[in-house]
Amino acid sequence: MKKVFYILTIFLLTINVQAQNEKSEFIGTYGDMILANGEFGGTELELKADGTFRLRTTDYVYPQTFKDYTNEGKWILKDGEVILNPDLQRREPTVNIIEKQIGLKDSIEIKVNHYIELYENQNLIEKQKTEFELLTLYFNKRRKYKHLTREWLKEGSCAWAPQIRNRVNLDSTNTFRIAKKDIEKIGIYTYGFTDFIELETENKNSDYYEIDVVIPIDKERMPRNKKVIIKGNRAYFYEIKGKVSKSLNNLWKKTA
């Protein structure tokens, strides 16, 4: 019995050493902007030997604010990929549509309600109705879209910002009308989404649609089950449609 226990102990220790050796090549500090003093200025990710990390990055929900957040947590290596906070489930936005017939003859009325669910230390602390800055809707097909925005939102504030086409400026009621048509599905996209959420309608005779959009946000912007692909001295961190993309800017590993 003692011999079996000894062999099992050696086996487990060997596995642990191998795992530590695999992780060792990933340990270090990665960033996407090197300042004159040699420090990273933009996103900075430090993977520590004790299985913890420190991350500083721009707000992933509202990147247009250019506000930075710093977080710490745990990381693991799984199938060659680094995962930050693997035990935290990602928060996903939800959309609900209410349909009515209100007797409009040649038009359809659309109303959008935008809510933020704010979490702190894993607890929901507040849900409030907020004024969104930019929200895109399409009807049946993506090319039939409208950008819902505000009068105060100016185009050309950034040199690379594209012109906002098919723009509809909303007032505080968040209501507008479109020409009468059969609507089979509505697609919605705004800040906090990784892609369009598409919902099918129930009654082709409806002439009023009220859309509730709920965005769950961690106050501290904690990364949740966030993958990082590391190849050599490059770390691929940024995402398209919720998946890490190697086509985007990468983080460089800091050398001593």
Side-chain angles (χ1 to χ4, degrees):
M1 184 67 180
K2 290 183 178 180
K3 185 177 180 180
V4 173
F5 179 75
Y6 175 77
I7 294 173
L8 180 59
T9 301
I10 296 298
F11 176 71
L12 293 175
L13 287 173
T14 301
I15 291 177
N16 184 60
V17 170
Q18 290 176 343
Q20 291 300 320
N21 288 338
E22 289 179 2
K23 290 177 64 175
S24 64
E25 63 180 286
F26 298 98
I27 295 169
T29 304
Y30 303 80
D32 64 357
M33 185 187 303
I34 302 178
L35 303 178
N37 61 4
E39 298 298 321
F40 289 120
T43 295
E44 182 180 77
L45 171 63
E46 181 183 4
L47 300 178
K48 302 179 182 180
D50 63 359
T52 63
F53 72 86
R54 179 181 178 276
L55 172 67
R56 184 191 71 233
T57 190
T58 302
D59 187 350
Y60 65 90
V61 182
Y62 301 112
Q64 80 278 16
T65 65
F66 298 101
K67 185 175 181 180
D68 285 343
Y69 289 84
T70 299
N71 282 285
E72 296 181 347
K74 296 180 180 180
W75 70 279
I76 64 170
L77 186 63
K78 183 179 180 181
D79 298 329
E81 295 178 332
V82 169
I83 304 178
L84 309 180
N85 289 332
D87 296 331
L88 298 183
Q89 185 176 359
R90 289 199 173 196
R91 302 197 191 281
E92 302 292 345
T94 58
V95 177
N96 181 59
I97 297 179
I98 298 173
E99 301 180 34
K100 295 180 183 179
Q101 290 181 254
I102 59 175
L104 299 178
K105 294 182 179 180
D106 56 1
S107 63
I108 294 174
E109 186 166 297
I110 312 288
K111 179 178 175 63
V112 180
N113 301 312
H114 181 269
Y115 299 91
I116 294 294
E117 287 184 343
L118 192 62
Y119 291 80
E120 185 174 17
N121 298 323
Q122 310 304 322
N123 297 312
L124 177 62
I125 61 172
E126 183 180 34
K127 180 177 180 179
Q128 60 178 348
K129 192 173 184 179
T130 61
E131 185 177 85
F132 59 86
E133 181 176 315
L134 178 65
L135 186 146
T136 301
L137 295 180
Y138 69 78
F139 306 97
N140 299 330
K141 297 181 180 180
R142 288 202 181 191
R143 66 175 182 271
K144 303 293 185 180
Y145 67 89
K146 292 187 180 296
H147 289 313
L148 311 185
T149 183
R150 309 293 173 180
E151 182 69 35
W152 53 261
L153 182 64
K154 303 300 182 182
E155 297 180 271
S157 56
C158 295
W160 60 85
Q163 180 183 1
I164 302 176
R165 301 180 182 277
N166 299 328
R167 176 173 178 169
V168 178
N169 291 330
L170 300 185
D171 60 19
S172 60
T173 66
N174 289 341
T175 303
F176 70 103
R177 292 186 178 185
I178 60 174
K180 193 79 170 183
K181 66 173 70 175
D182 289 340
I183 298 179
E184 298 177 354
K185 56 187 177 183
I186 300 176
I188 304 99
Y189 182 87
T190 189
Y191 291 110
F193 284 39
T194 56
D195 200 358
F196 276 94
I197 293 178
E198 188 177 87
L199 296 180
E200 294 184 356
T201 59
E202 297 179 352
N203 183 357
K204 67 178 183 178
N205 295 317
S206 296
D207 54 11
Y208 177 88
Y209 295 90
E210 186 163 347
I211 303 171
D212 288 344
V213 177
V214 181
I215 313 293
I217 301 176
D218 286 290
K219 185 177 181 180
E220 63 272 26
R221 303 300 195 268
M222 175 67 75
R224 309 177 67 85
N225 212 347
K226 172 77 174 73
K227 289 185 178 181
V228 183
I229 299 175
I230 298 179
K231 301 291 185 182
N233 64 346
R234 297 185 180 188
Y236 299 93
F237 174 85
Y238 301 109
E239 299 179 346
I240 295 179
K241 296 184 178 180
K243 295 183 180 180
V244 177
S245 174
K246 295 181 181 180
S247 66
L248 299 177
N249 190 26
N250 58 266
L251 312 182
W252 291 93
K253 190 172 187 178
K254 187 177 182 179
T255 57

mmCIF file of all heavy atoms in Angstrom, residues 225-253:
data_model
loop_
_atom_site.group_PDB
_atom_site.id
_atom_site.type_symbol
_atom_site.label_atom_id
_atom_site.label_comp_id
_atom_site.label_asym_id
_atom_site.label_seq_id
_atom_site.Cartn_x
_atom_site.Cartn_y
_atom_site.Cartn_z
ATOM 1 N N ASN A 225 -13.588 34.943 -17.920
ATOM 2 C CA ASN A 225 -13.341 33.838 -18.849
ATOM 3 C C ASN A 225 -12.736 34.359 -20.149
ATOM 4 O O ASN A 225 -13.136 33.966 -21.243
ATOM 5 C CB ASN A 225 -14.641 33.090 -19.129
ATOM 6 C CG ASN A 225 -14.413 31.618 -19.396
ATOM 7 O OD1 ASN A 225 -13.282 31.194 -19.615
ATOM 8 N ND2 ASN A 225 -15.460 30.845 -19.390
ATOM 9 N N LYS A 226 -11.763 35.255 -20.024
ATOM 10 C CA LYS A 226 -11.156 35.950 -21.156
ATOM 11 C C LYS A 226 -9.946 35.177 -21.672
ATOM 12 O O LYS A 226 -9.008 34.913 -20.939
ATOM 13 C CB LYS A 226 -10.735 37.352 -20.717
ATOM 14 C CG LYS A 226 -9.908 38.126 -21.737
ATOM 15 C CD LYS A 226 -10.796 38.659 -22.837
ATOM 16 C CE LYS A 226 -10.000 39.555 -23.781
ATOM 17 N NZ LYS A 226 -9.088 38.783 -24.664
ATOM 18 N N LYS A 227 -9.977 34.829 -22.965
ATOM 19 C CA LYS A 227 -8.870 34.085 -23.574
ATOM 20 C C LYS A 227 -7.799 35.024 -24.112
ATOM 21 O O LYS A 227 -8.091 36.106 -24.616
ATOM 22 C CB LYS A 227 -9.388 33.204 -24.711
ATOM 23 C CG LYS A 227 -10.211 32.014 -24.254
ATOM 24 C CD LYS A 227 -10.569 31.124 -25.427
ATOM 25 C CE LYS A 227 -11.347 29.896 -24.972
ATOM 26 N NZ LYS A 227 -11.687 29.006 -26.100
ATOM 27 N N VAL A 228 -6.551 34.580 -23.984
ATOM 28 C CA VAL A 228 -5.412 35.272 -24.560
ATOM 29 C C VAL A 228 -4.556 34.221 -25.265
ATOM 30 O O VAL A 228 -4.162 33.232 -24.652
ATOM 31 C CB VAL A 228 -4.570 35.984 -23.484
ATOM 32 C CG1 VAL A 228 -3.425 36.751 -24.132
ATOM 33 C CG2 VAL A 228 -5.432 36.923 -22.640
ATOM 34 N N ILE A 229 -4.300 34.434 -26.549
ATOM 35 C CA ILE A 229 -3.472 33.495 -27.313
ATOM 36 C C ILE A 229 -2.052 34.048 -27.367
ATOM 37 O O ILE A 229 -1.831 35.165 -27.831
ATOM 38 C CB ILE A 229 -4.018 33.304 -28.738
ATOM 39 C CG1 ILE A 229 -5.440 32.732 -28.683
ATOM 40 C CG2 ILE A 229 -3.110 32.375 -29.541
ATOM 41 C CD1 ILE A 229 -6.115 32.630 -30.034
ATOM 42 N N ILE A 230 -1.088 33.260 -26.872
ATOM 43 C CA ILE A 230 0.295 33.707 -26.833
ATOM 44 C C ILE A 230 1.153 32.839 -27.746
ATOM 45 O O ILE A 230 1.172 31.613 -27.629
ATOM 46 C CB ILE A 230 0.847 33.676 -25.397
ATOM 47 C CG1 ILE A 230 0.039 34.633 -24.511
ATOM 48 C CG2 ILE A 230 2.333 34.045 -25.370
ATOM 49 C CD1 ILE A 230 0.476 34.668 -23.068
ATOM 50 N N LYS A 231 1.830 33.489 -28.675
ATOM 51 C CA LYS A 231 2.742 32.833 -29.605
ATOM 52 C C LYS A 231 4.096 33.528 -29.525
ATOM 53 O O LYS A 231 4.246 34.663 -29.979
ATOM 54 C CB LYS A 231 2.209 32.896 -31.043
ATOM 55 C CG LYS A 231 0.853 32.239 -31.240
ATOM 56 C CD LYS A 231 0.928 30.723 -31.083
ATOM 57 C CE LYS A 231 -0.418 30.073 -31.400
ATOM 58 N NZ LYS A 231 -0.378 28.611 -31.212
ATOM 59 N N GLY A 232 5.070 32.851 -28.921
ATOM 60 C CA GLY A 232 6.382 33.468 -28.768
ATOM 61 C C GLY A 232 6.296 34.692 -27.883
ATOM 62 O O GLY A 232 5.813 34.628 -26.749
ATOM 63 N N ASN A 233 6.733 35.845 -28.405
ATOM 64 C CA ASN A 233 6.702 37.079 -27.617
ATOM 65 C C ASN A 233 5.496 37.949 -27.951
ATOM 66 O O ASN A 233 5.469 39.134 -27.633
ATOM 67 C CB ASN A 233 7.995 37.878 -27.830
ATOM 68 C CG ASN A 233 8.155 38.349 -29.271
ATOM 69 O OD1 ASN A 233 7.451 37.872 -30.165
ATOM 70 N ND2 ASN A 233 9.082 39.265 -29.508
ATOM 71 N N ARG A 234 4.507 37.356 -28.595
ATOM 72 C CA ARG A 234 3.285 38.081 -28.927
ATOM 73 C C ARG A 234 2.085 37.492 -28.187
ATOM 74 O O ARG A 234 1.935 36.274 -28.110
ATOM 75 C CB ARG A 234 3.008 38.047 -30.428
ATOM 76 C CG ARG A 234 4.066 38.729 -31.275
ATOM 77 C CD ARG A 234 3.660 38.752 -32.729
ATOM 78 N NE ARG A 234 4.656 39.395 -33.582
ATOM 79 C CZ ARG A 234 4.462 39.674 -34.855
ATOM 80 N NH1 ARG A 234 3.311 39.361 -35.433
ATOM 81 N NH2 ARG A 234 5.411 40.255 -35.557
ATOM 82 N N ALA A 235 1.243 38.375 -27.676
ATOM 83 C CA ALA A 235 0.006 37.946 -27.012
ATOM 84 C C ALA A 235 -1.170 38.570 -27.750
ATOM 85 O O ALA A 235 -1.264 39.797 -27.872
ATOM 86 C CB ALA A 235 0.008 38.380 -25.552
ATOM 87 N N TYR A 236 -2.053 37.740 -28.262
ATOM 88 C CA TYR A 236 -3.242 38.216 -28.981
ATOM 89 C C TYR A 236 -4.376 38.319 -27.968
ATOM 90 O O TYR A 236 -4.852 37.322 -27.437
ATOM 91 C CB TYR A 236 -3.580 37.273 -30.134
ATOM 92 C CG TYR A 236 -2.472 37.198 -31.147
ATOM 93 C CD1 TYR A 236 -1.493 36.210 -31.067
ATOM 94 C CD2 TYR A 236 -2.361 38.142 -32.163
ATOM 95 C CE1 TYR A 236 -0.452 36.158 -31.986
ATOM 96 C CE2 TYR A 236 -1.330 38.097 -33.085
ATOM 97 C CZ TYR A 236 -0.377 37.100 -32.990
ATOM 98 O OH TYR A 236 0.653 37.054 -33.894
ATOM 99 N N PHE A 237 -4.801 39.548 -27.732
ATOM 100 C CA PHE A 237 -5.705 39.874 -26.627
ATOM 101 C C PHE A 237 -7.061 40.394 -27.101
ATOM 102 O O PHE A 237 -8.088 40.103 -26.525
ATOM 103 C CB PHE A 237 -5.021 40.927 -25.740
ATOM 104 C CG PHE A 237 -5.868 41.481 -24.640
ATOM 105 C CD1 PHE A 237 -5.969 40.825 -23.426
ATOM 106 C CD2 PHE A 237 -6.552 42.683 -24.800
ATOM 107 C CE1 PHE A 237 -6.753 41.334 -22.398
ATOM 108 C CE2 PHE A 237 -7.342 43.203 -23.781
ATOM 109 C CZ PHE A 237 -7.431 42.519 -22.569
ATOM 110 N N TYR A 238 -7.047 41.165 -28.187
ATOM 111 C CA TYR A 238 -8.263 41.851 -28.622
ATOM 112 C C TYR A 238 -9.191 40.917 -29.399
ATOM 113 O O TYR A 238 -8.761 39.928 -29.979
ATOM 114 C CB TYR A 238 -7.896 43.075 -29.458
ATOM 115 C CG TYR A 238 -7.032 44.048 -28.685
ATOM 116 C CD1 TYR A 238 -5.683 44.209 -28.993
ATOM 117 C CD2 TYR A 238 -7.553 44.772 -27.627
ATOM 118 C CE1 TYR A 238 -4.883 45.083 -28.274
ATOM 119 C CE2 TYR A 238 -6.769 45.645 -26.893
ATOM 120 C CZ TYR A 238 -5.433 45.798 -27.220
ATOM 121 O OH TYR A 238 -4.647 46.648 -26.496
ATOM 122 N N GLU A 239 -10.482 41.257 -29.386
ATOM 123 C CA GLU A 239 -11.509 40.353 -29.904
ATOM 124 C C GLU A 239 -12.332 40.984 -31.014
ATOM 125 O O GLU A 239 -12.511 42.198 -31.071
ATOM 126 C CB GLU A 239 -12.448 39.926 -28.775
ATOM 127 C CG GLU A 239 -11.772 39.185 -27.645
ATOM 128 C CD GLU A 239 -12.738 38.810 -26.539
ATOM 129 O OE1 GLU A 239 -13.868 39.353 -26.540
ATOM 130 O OE2 GLU A 239 -12.378 37.997 -25.677
ATOM 131 N N ILE A 240 -12.845 40.129 -31.889
ATOM 132 C CA ILE A 240 -13.888 40.467 -32.853
ATOM 133 C C ILE A 240 -15.034 39.491 -32.625
ATOM 134 O O ILE A 240 -14.831 38.282 -32.622
ATOM 135 C CB ILE A 240 -13.387 40.355 -34.304
ATOM 136 C CG1 ILE A 240 -12.296 41.397 -34.584
ATOM 137 C CG2 ILE A 240 -14.545 40.557 -35.278
ATOM 138 C CD1 ILE A 240 -11.739 41.313 -35.997
ATOM 139 N N LYS A 241 -16.219 40.026 -32.387
ATOM 140 C CA LYS A 241 -17.403 39.208 -32.128
ATOM 141 C C LYS A 241 -17.170 38.229 -30.975
ATOM 142 O O LYS A 241 -17.595 37.084 -31.008
ATOM 143 C CB LYS A 241 -17.837 38.456 -33.389
ATOM 144 C CG LYS A 241 -18.283 39.373 -34.518
ATOM 145 C CD LYS A 241 -18.797 38.609 -35.714
ATOM 146 C CE LYS A 241 -19.271 39.560 -36.800
ATOM 147 N NZ LYS A 241 -19.792 38.842 -37.998
ATOM 148 N N GLY A 242 -16.458 38.706 -29.951
ATOM 149 C CA GLY A 242 -16.271 37.912 -28.750
ATOM 150 C C GLY A 242 -15.184 36.865 -28.820
ATOM 151 O O GLY A 242 -14.985 36.107 -27.868
ATOM 152 N N LYS A 243 -14.435 36.810 -29.939
ATOM 153 C CA LYS A 243 -13.373 35.809 -30.088
ATOM 154 C C LYS A 243 -12.043 36.505 -30.365
ATOM 155 O O LYS A 243 -11.987 37.484 -31.109
ATOM 156 C CB LYS A 243 -13.706 34.843 -31.225
ATOM 157 C CG LYS A 243 -14.947 34.002 -30.958
ATOM 158 C CD LYS A 243 -15.189 33.002 -32.082
ATOM 159 C CE LYS A 243 -16.426 32.160 -31.805
ATOM 160 N NZ LYS A 243 -16.676 31.173 -32.890
ATOM 161 N N VAL A 244 -10.981 35.984 -29.747
ATOM 162 C CA VAL A 244 -9.656 36.565 -29.929
ATOM 163 C C VAL A 244 -9.268 36.503 -31.403
ATOM 164 O O VAL A 244 -9.377 35.453 -32.042
ATOM 165 C CB VAL A 244 -8.614 35.831 -29.070
ATOM 166 C CG1 VAL A 244 -7.219 36.391 -29.329
ATOM 167 C CG2 VAL A 244 -8.961 35.961 -27.595
ATOM 168 N N SER A 245 -8.810 37.623 -31.942
ATOM 169 C CA SER A 245 -8.458 37.694 -33.360
ATOM 170 C C SER A 245 -6.980 38.051 -33.521
ATOM 171 O O SER A 245 -6.479 39.002 -32.919
ATOM 172 C CB SER A 245 -9.313 38.744 -34.068
ATOM 173 O OG SER A 245 -8.889 38.915 -35.401
ATOM 174 N N LYS A 246 -6.280 37.274 -34.358
ATOM 175 C CA LYS A 246 -4.875 37.556 -34.653
ATOM 176 C C LYS A 246 -4.731 38.646 -35.708
ATOM 177 O O LYS A 246 -3.618 39.080 -35.998
ATOM 178 C CB LYS A 246 -4.175 36.278 -35.112
ATOM 179 C CG LYS A 246 -4.086 35.211 -34.035
ATOM 180 C CD LYS A 246 -3.361 33.982 -34.540
ATOM 181 C CE LYS A 246 -3.302 32.902 -33.469
ATOM 182 N NZ LYS A 246 -2.607 31.687 -33.948
ATOM 183 N N SER A 247 -5.849 39.088 -36.271
ATOM 184 C CA SER A 247 -5.788 40.148 -37.279
ATOM 185 C C SER A 247 -5.692 41.529 -36.636
ATOM 186 O O SER A 247 -5.396 42.506 -37.312
ATOM 187 C CB SER A 247 -7.025 40.087 -38.181
ATOM 188 O OG SER A 247 -8.203 40.396 -37.450
ATOM 189 N N LEU A 248 -5.952 41.597 -35.323
ATOM 190 C CA LEU A 248 -5.894 42.871 -34.620
ATOM 191 C C LEU A 248 -4.521 43.073 -33.980
ATOM 192 O O LEU A 248 -3.699 42.162 -33.945
ATOM 193 C CB LEU A 248 -6.989 42.918 -33.549
ATOM 194 C CG LEU A 248 -8.426 42.792 -34.058
ATOM 195 C CD1 LEU A 248 -9.396 42.772 -32.898
ATOM 196 C CD2 LEU A 248 -8.775 43.910 -35.026
ATOM 197 N N ASN A 249 -4.308 44.268 -33.473
ATOM 198 C CA ASN A 249 -3.039 44.599 -32.827
ATOM 199 C C ASN A 249 -2.736 43.619 -31.693
ATOM 200 O O ASN A 249 -3.629 43.232 -30.939
ATOM 201 C CB ASN A 249 -3.116 46.026 -32.271
ATOM 202 C CG ASN A 249 -1.774 46.530 -31.810
ATOM 203 O OD1 ASN A 249 -0.746 46.089 -32.296
ATOM 204 N ND2 ASN A 249 -1.788 47.468 -30.877
ATOM 205 N N ASN A 250 -1.472 43.208 -31.576
ATOM 206 C CA ASN A 250 -1.098 42.267 -30.520
ATOM 207 C C ASN A 250 -0.316 42.974 -29.414
ATOM 208 O O ASN A 250 0.100 44.118 -29.552
ATOM 209 C CB ASN A 250 -0.238 41.128 -31.102
ATOM 210 C CG ASN A 250 1.025 41.633 -31.785
ATOM 211 O OD1 ASN A 250 1.043 41.839 -32.991
ATOM 212 N ND2 ASN A 250 2.074 41.854 -31.009
ATOM 213 N N LEU A 251 -0.156 42.287 -28.292
ATOM 214 C CA LEU A 251 0.665 42.770 -27.188
ATOM 215 C C LEU A 251 2.057 42.156 -27.313
ATOM 216 O O LEU A 251 2.199 40.979 -27.674
ATOM 217 C CB LEU A 251 0.044 42.383 -25.840
ATOM 218 C CG LEU A 251 -1.451 42.660 -25.637
ATOM 219 C CD1 LEU A 251 -1.863 42.247 -24.229
ATOM 220 C CD2 LEU A 251 -1.780 44.120 -25.897
ATOM 221 N N TRP A 252 3.086 42.939 -26.991
ATOM 222 C CA TRP A 252 4.454 42.470 -27.049
ATOM 223 C C TRP A 252 4.962 42.145 -25.659
ATOM 224 O O TRP A 252 4.646 42.845 -24.691
ATOM 225 C CB TRP A 252 5.367 43.528 -27.688
ATOM 226 C CG TRP A 252 5.121 43.747 -29.141
ATOM 227 C CD1 TRP A 252 4.309 44.674 -29.714
ATOM 228 C CD2 TRP A 252 5.664 42.988 -30.221
ATOM 229 N NE1 TRP A 252 4.312 44.575 -31.070
ATOM 230 C CE2 TRP A 252 5.149 43.533 -31.425
ATOM 231 C CE3 TRP A 252 6.541 41.920 -30.294
ATOM 232 C CZ2 TRP A 252 5.476 43.044 -32.675
ATOM 233 C CZ3 TRP A 252 6.887 41.431 -31.558
ATOM 234 C CH2 TRP A 252 6.355 41.982 -32.722
ATOM 235 N N LYS A 253 5.763 41.091 -25.560
ATOM 236 C CA LYS A 253 6.310 40.699 -24.257
ATOM 237 C C LYS A 253 7.494 41.602 -23.916
ATOM 238 O O LYS A 253 8.390 41.829 -24.737
ATOM 239 C CB LYS A 253 6.769 39.238 -24.282
ATOM 240 C CG LYS A 253 7.117 38.684 -22.913
ATOM 241 C CD LYS A 253 7.379 37.189 -22.976
ATOM 242 C CE LYS A 253 7.574 36.577 -21.600
ATOM 243 N NZ LYS A 253 7.775 35.116 -21.656
#
